[in-house]
């Protein structure tokens, strides 16, 4: 028997190359992350602790922690609103996406690819244009609004634009494909014989869904909700075009601090706060959703 | 209880134009180990799915314990299935997989725990109760799948090629174990396989299927020794078929004349006078004798040998020798198989016959005739019988001509 060491000595070059391969494969991604994520993050972090203003000769690094205090204190309502809008959009998108993904995966037949194409088709138009199109659709003089007013669905002075509903609908619409695709991918992978096995073991179609299909598609649901919730929380385009002053989200504040008020440190501190809150929320969610999805039966047994 | 456990009455299942199961009649008594055997695509799985409730018949009736189960969904049927791919729930551990059915039936927690543990004990998986299916080997998954079905004490257990994915040795062990468990629990087993040896080893009765029809239902020994059709003869073992014609038939017995000229009397099982038929002799029932072609008569065999008889002296082909019909041919190939040597002999009319000679003794094996040697085949009269042409596809010629013991994959 040759020991692994002995083999290494007999072919040192080959072994070295074999061990280096993972690093070669990781390399481009690592460099990319370093250049475009870690380095900017460092500068942003530094910026968030600076003080001063552009008028008085620029910013200076002074460990200005009060930037964070202001961020949390002054814009608390915008934070809450952002998460409320993003959360609502995520829930609505999930309710629309799951049945849609289910139908495509299990009932799609030969239309599967065409249906999937339809799901991603909106991406062929840019985000901004799509949102502007919604602005037109929901605007006060649009046929939609006048029709709804005629039908009495909307009061005479009622509007669709500049409402919470408009922003949530916009977010839902824009992020729906990010919800559909991962759920579809996880449903598509489910072996239908598992569902048949559940049916064979005394589960009605409904029970088989709750006990087998749903838990097995949980990874897709988790991925989809994250892919929707995280970008939606920081979004400002939808609130900008579809909302009014009462719909401003945290993204709008950051944008205006940066581009209008030129208060870079506050904007950076706000960005970091947003990031931290999202990270904590996601962490809690994954712990909760992960164990729920995987331990369904055991949890039931324990109660 | 005299009701059959499962009864199919003229069951037909068509998928569009394709008829997967055609006018199937089956009666499976309580506690029987019943096997559906047939080549790929003959409708075995479809038949099982009709009983389980995953498919509805397009014609005929399915009865379980005497009651028609038409329209009854799978979860209401007193059947459980062991799937070919096991279909264990990947998100649940072994314990929860096995407990799944009992939980749905709202059995009490203590009883579930007791029954699950007892069942896992029975299949030898008690030690792995907290592992996930993806941490188990194929054989272990198979045992869990069996436990998951058996723990519910179904009236009928349906098994779709449960050992198909396992290696030969593991499969042999599990065959015996499955048989033991079946005797122990006394549940009716409907077992699907395309492996004829597995069917012969385990079953009380076998239904041989071909293109959606049943060709024969019989006990394993009957199916092997007295196949009803050319298809059955070919599918179970090697198709040692010699074409011929029934020349005279009365009250079940008759005279058969093979195309090679050999005539003999045998049971004709309802094949009428003048009808074409095939005569079957199993390879291990044939005796092979070298013939010295230059002299026509000379003893080259060893008189002490059990299998190689001394060469016939001056007897003509076809003439009974000690009451044994004989026929002459030429050895085409001889293959060493370990426990036996397989010799393929070409008879007049391009009929190929396989002879199996046990390798009892090295010296004897060395004297077996090689390729090109003229030989004479003979058999005891009771070892030949006639079969009718199969209604379905023609009998598959066992291309590899491998004997029973070697065909399993
Ligand atoms: N859902 C279906 N739709 C259409 N045709 C089907 C369907 N299920 C089975 N068939 C066809 O019915 C025939 C019998 O299939 P079945 O699965 O019962 O064969 P089998 O004997 O189990 O074969 P194997 O040994 O390969 O599993 C095949 O020709 C198959 O293509
Ligand atoms: Mg099958």
């Amino acid at each position: 028997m040759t020991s692994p060491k002995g083999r290494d000595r007999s072919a040192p070059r080959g072994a070295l190359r074999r061990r280096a391969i993972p690093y070669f494969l990781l390399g481009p991604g690592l460099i990319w992350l370093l250049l475009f994520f870690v380095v900017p993050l460092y500068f942003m972090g530094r910026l968030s602790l600076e003080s001063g203003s552009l008028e008085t000769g620029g910013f200076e690094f002074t460990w200005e922690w009060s930037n964070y205090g202001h961020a949390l204190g002054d814009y608390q309502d915008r934070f809450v609103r952002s998460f409320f809008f993003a959360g609502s959009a995520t829930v609505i998108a999930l309710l629309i996406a799951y049945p849609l993904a289910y139908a495509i995966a299990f009932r799609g037949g030969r239309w599967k690819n065409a249906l999937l194409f339809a799901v991603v088709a909106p991406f062929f138009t840019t985000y901004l244009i799509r949102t502007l199109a919604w602005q037109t659709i929901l605007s006060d003089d649009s046929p939609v609004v006048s029709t709804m007013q005629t039908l009495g669905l909307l009061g005479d002075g009622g509007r669709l634009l500049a409402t919470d509903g408009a922003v949530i609908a916009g977010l839902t619409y824009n992020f729906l494909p990010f919800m559909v695709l991962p759920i579809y991918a996880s449903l598509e992978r489910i072996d239908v014989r598992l569902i048949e096995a559940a049916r064979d073991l005394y589960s009605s179609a409904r029970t088989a869904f709750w006990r087998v299909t749903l838990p097995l598609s949980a990874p897709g649901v988790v991925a989809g909700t994250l892919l929707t919730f995280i970008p939606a929380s920081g979004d400002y385009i939808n609130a900008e075009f579809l909302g009014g002053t009462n719909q401003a989200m945290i993204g709008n504040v950051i944008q205006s601090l940066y581009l209008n008020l030129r208060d870079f440190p506050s904007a950076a501190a706000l960005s970091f706060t947003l990031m931290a809150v999202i990270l904590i929320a996601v962490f809690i969610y994954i712990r909760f959703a992960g164990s729920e999805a995987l331990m369904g039966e055991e949890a039931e047994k324990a109660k | 209880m005299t009701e059959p456990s499962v009864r199919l009455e003229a069951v037909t299942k068509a998928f569009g134009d394709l008829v997967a199961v055609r006018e199937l009649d089956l009666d499976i008594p309580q506690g029987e180990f019943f096997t559906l055997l047939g080549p790929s695509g003959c409708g075995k799985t479809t038949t099982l799915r009709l009983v389980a409730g995953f498919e509805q018949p397009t014609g005929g009736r399915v009865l379980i314990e005497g009651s028609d189960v038409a329209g009854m969904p799978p979860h209401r049927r007193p059947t459980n299935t062991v799937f070919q791919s096991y279909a264990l729930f990947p998100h649940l551990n072994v314990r929860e997989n096995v407990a799944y059915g009992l939980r749905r039936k709202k059995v009490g927690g203590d009883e579930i725990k007791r029954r699950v543990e007892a069942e896992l004990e029975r299949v030898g998986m008690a030690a792995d109760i907290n592992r996930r299916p993806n941490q188990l080997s194929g054989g272990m998954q198979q045992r869990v799948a069996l436990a998951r079905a058996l723990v519910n004490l179904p009236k009928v257990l349906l098994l779709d090629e449960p050992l198909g994915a396992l290696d030969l040795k593991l499969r042999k062990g599990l065959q015996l174990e499955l048989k033991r468990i079946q005797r122990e629990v006394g549940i009716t087993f409907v077992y699907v396989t395309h492996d004829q040896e597995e069917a012969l080893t385990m079953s009380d009765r076998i239904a041989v299927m071909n293109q959606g029809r049943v060709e024969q239902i019989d006990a394993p020994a009957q199916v092997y020794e007295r196949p009803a059709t050319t298809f059955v003869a070919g599918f179970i073992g090697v198709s040692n078929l010699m074409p011929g014609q029934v020349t005279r038939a009365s009250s079940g017995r008759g005279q058969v004349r093979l195309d090679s000229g050999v005539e003999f009397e045998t049971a004709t099982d309802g094949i009428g006078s003048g009808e074409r038929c095939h005569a079957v002799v199993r390879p291990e029932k044939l005796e092979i004798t070298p013939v010295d072609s230059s002299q026509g008569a000379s003893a080259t065999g060893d008189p002490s040998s059990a299998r190689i008889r001394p060469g016939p002296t001056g007897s003509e082909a076809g003439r009974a020798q000690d009451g044994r019909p004989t026929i002459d041919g030429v050895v085409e190939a001889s293959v060493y198989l370990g426990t036996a040597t397989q010799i393929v002999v070409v008879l007049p009319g391009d009929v190929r016959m396989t002879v199996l000679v046990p390798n009892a003794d090295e010296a004897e094996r060395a004297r077996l005739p090689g390729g090109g040697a003229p030989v004479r085949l003979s058999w005891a009269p009771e070892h030949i019988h006639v079969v009718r042409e199969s209604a379905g596809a023609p009998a598959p010629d066992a291309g590899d001509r491998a004997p029973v013991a070697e065909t399993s994959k």
Side-chain angles (χ1 to χ4, degrees):
Chain A
M1 230 180 85
T2 50
S3 71
K5 252 189 192 155
R7 259 206 313 276
D8 273 1
R9 223 176 288 129
S10 65
R13 288 182 61 95
L16 207 68
R17 192 174 306 160
R18 231 183 343 269
R19 256 178 306 177
I21 283 176
Y23 297 100
F24 279 123
L25 295 176
L26 277 173
L30 278 178
I31 291 167
W32 182 272
L33 267 182
L34 206 68
L35 279 180
F36 297 103
F37 184 69
V38 178
V39 172
L41 208 63
Y42 167 75
F43 284 113
M44 288 287 287
R46 212 182 137 83
L47 189 60
S48 73
L49 296 171
E50 288 179 1
S51 61
S53 78
L54 279 183
E55 288 86 59
T56 59
F59 302 103
E60 228 176 299
F61 186 76
T62 55
W63 293 105
E64 192 67 40
W65 288 105
S66 64
N67 287 337
Y68 282 87
H70 288 303
L72 277 174
D74 299 352
Y75 305 111
Q76 207 179 355
D77 57 332
R78 249 65 57 97
F79 263 112
V80 173
R81 189 185 292 143
S82 289
F83 291 126
F84 169 68
F85 283 180
S88 306
T90 305
V91 170
I92 297 170
L94 178 62
L95 293 179
I96 297 172
Y98 201 100
L100 182 62
Y102 187 94
I104 298 174
F106 291 119
R107 301 283 138 79
R110 56 209 177 88
W111 296 103
K112 244 181 214 179
N113 288 332
L115 289 167
L116 280 178
F117 179 79
V119 169
V120 294
F123 285 143
F124 287 94
T125 315
T126 56
Y127 186 35
L128 208 60
I129 301 290
R130 276 182 283 144
T131 313
L132 281 168
W134 272 102
Q135 191 183 38
T136 315
I137 295 170
L138 301 177
S139 66
D140 293 342
D141 47 3
S142 79
V144 177
V145 171
S146 55
T147 309
M148 285 178 78
Q149 279 169 343
T150 317
L151 292 173
L153 293 170
L154 208 59
D156 265 348
R159 342 180 34 191
L160 288 177
L161 208 61
T163 59
D164 288 2
V167 180
I168 293 172
L171 288 169
T172 306
Y173 162 77
N174 276 313
F175 294 106
L176 189 64
F178 295 109
M179 186 68 96
V180 175
L181 294 179
I183 295 177
Y184 168 79
S186 68
L187 283 171
E188 161 77 353
R189 265 206 336 246
I190 296 179
D191 185 349
V192 289
R193 275 168 301 194
L194 293 175
I195 299 163
E196 286 189 345
R199 302 278 282 128
D200 191 62
L201 292 162
Y202 317 110
S203 301
S204 61
R206 178 198 296 254
T207 313
F209 173 79
W210 288 109
R211 291 290 170 191
V212 177
T213 313
L214 189 61
L216 289 177
S217 62
V221 172
V222 171
T225 46
L226 292 179
L227 284 175
T228 306
F229 182 79
I230 296 172
S233 309
D235 185 77
Y236 67 94
I237 300 278
N238 285 279
E240 176 82 30
F241 292 114
L242 306 178
T245 43
N246 287 331
Q247 279 74 39
M249 293 169 69
I250 203 70
N252 302 85
V253 177
I254 295 173
Q255 184 230 9
S256 110
L257 282 175
Y258 256 113
L259 302 179
N260 304 339
L261 304 176
R262 307 260 161 186
D263 183 358
F264 297 152
S266 296
L270 208 50
S271 301
F272 265 87
T273 312
L274 177 66
M275 208 165 79
V277 174
I278 289 179
L279 269 177
I280 292 166
V282 165
F283 184 72
I284 294 170
Y285 173 68
I286 288 180
R287 287 295 302 255
F288 167 75
S291 62
E292 180 68 11
L294 297 172
M295 316 282 265
E297 296 268 319
E298 271 124 307
E300 173 194 283
K301 188 184 62 185
K303 81 175 179 219
Chain B
M1 187 106 142
T2 50
E3 292 282 10
S5 204
V6 177
R7 186 186 171 93
L8 303 191
E9 290 175 357
V11 167
T12 296
K13 176 68 189 179
F15 297 103
D17 288 341
L18 190 137
V19 183
V21 171
R22 198 184 294 268
E23 300 275 322
L24 198 62
D25 288 302
L26 287 182
D27 255 313
I28 306 175
Q30 173 64 46
E32 188 171 62
F33 197 120
F34 188 87
T35 298
L36 295 169
L37 173 67
S40 188
C42 71
K44 307 181 295 289
T45 298
T46 305
T47 308
L48 219 55
R49 291 171 62 83
L50 286 163
V51 179
F54 295 123
E55 308 282 0
Q56 294 296 329
T58 44
R61 297 203 305 160
V62 178
L63 295 96
I64 298 176
E65 305 232 301
S67 51
D68 192 337
V69 291
M72 190 188 276
H75 67 282
R76 293 200 205 287
R77 298 196 181 191
T79 59
N80 284 120
T81 308
V82 177
F83 294 84
Q84 170 160 18
S85 52
Y86 317 130
L88 295 177
F89 303 123
H91 59 302
L92 302 178
N93 65 15
V94 168
R95 176 196 295 279
E96 289 308 317
N97 261 285
V98 177
Y100 188 94
L102 295 176
R103 286 203 196 290
R104 299 292 89 73
K105 287 206 287 192
K106 304 269 185 283
V107 174
D110 291 343
E111 192 188 338
I112 290 181
K113 186 171 154 57
R114 189 171 51 70
R115 281 171 68 177
V116 166
E117 283 168 9
E119 202 58 55
L120 284 169
E121 192 73 51
R122 195 212 302 277
V123 299
M125 287 295 295
D128 303 280
I129 196 157
N130 290 318
R131 296 172 77 182
R132 288 284 171 95
N134 62 9
Q135 299 171 309
L136 304 177
S137 71
M140 291 161 104
Q141 290 185 38
Q142 203 282 327
R143 287 160 194 268
V144 176
L146 185 64
R148 184 177 69 173
L150 274 179
V151 75
N152 305 296
L153 296 175
K155 299 272 171 39
V156 183
L157 187 69
L158 308 168
L159 303 100
D160 192 355
E161 308 206 20
L163 309 181
L166 305 176
D167 69 61
L168 183 61
K169 191 150 184 213
L170 191 55
R171 210 161 62 194
K172 298 256 188 235
L174 281 171
Q175 282 172 9
L176 299 176
E177 204 170 324
L178 259 179
K179 187 70 190 162
R180 170 184 65 79
I181 290 171
Q182 194 264 340
R183 272 198 218 101
E184 212 171 282
V185 296
I187 289 172
T188 310
F189 274 37
V190 183
Y191 192 94
V192 162
T193 182
H194 62 251
D195 179 340
Q196 35 111 1
E197 197 203 352
E198 193 165 290
L200 293 174
T201 317
M202 304 173 77
S203 322
D204 294 325
R205 281 192 310 153
I206 299 173
V208 184
M209 290 183 72
N210 179 28
Q211 296 191 332
R213 291 177 221 264
V214 166
E215 298 251 338
Q216 184 174 9
I217 302 181
D218 254 320
Q222 283 294 308
V223 171
Y224 183 75
E225 301 291 346
R226 300 203 59 83
T229 65
T230 50
F231 176 83
V232 177
F235 193 73
I236 313 253
V238 174
S239 60
N240 264 352
L241 295 170
M242 294 179 281
Q245 190 167 16
V246 175
T247 52
R248 181 165 53 72
S250 65
S251 61
R253 288 194 72 79
Q255 186 78 19
V256 176
R257 184 184 163 80
L258 298 183
D259 294 354
S260 55
V262 178
E263 283 196 64
F264 59 94
E265 204 190 281
T266 184
T268 46
D269 294 325
I271 305 176
S273 177
E275 274 187 68
R276 296 287 299 165
C277 65
H278 285 82
V280 184
V281 189
R282 290 302 186 186
E284 68 281 4
K285 304 275 165 51
L286 282 171
E287 280 182 29
I288 187 165
T289 323
V291 177
D292 190 331
S293 51
S294 57
Q295 299 186 2
S298 124
T300 49
D302 179 355
S304 68
S305 152
R307 300 287 306 183
I308 307 172
R309 294 155 60 93
T313 46
S315 70
E316 271 170 38
R319 186 193 292 173
Q321 219 187 5
D322 324 334
R324 297 171 67 92
T326 67
I327 189 166
D328 282 358
V330 175
V331 173
E332 185 179 64
S334 166
V335 182
Y336 175 68
L337 295 173
T339 56
T341 300
Q342 172 187 284
I343 302 168
V344 178
V345 177
V346 185
L347 304 183
D350 210 28
V351 175
R352 277 177 175 70
M353 297 292 278
T354 301
V355 184
L356 208 56
V357 184
N359 290 336
D361 145 20
E362 275 300 300
E364 180 187 314
R365 195 168 66 79
R367 280 195 297 276
L368 288 175
V375 291
R376 182 159 299 167
L377 300 179
S378 67
W379 57 85
E382 68 270 24
H383 287 152
I384 192 165
H385 68 275
V386 291
V387 298
R388 61 175 75 245
E389 193 73 56
S390 175
D397 185 46
D400 52 353
R401 301 198 74 85
V404 176
E406 308 295 325
T407 42
S408 33
K409 279 151 248 139

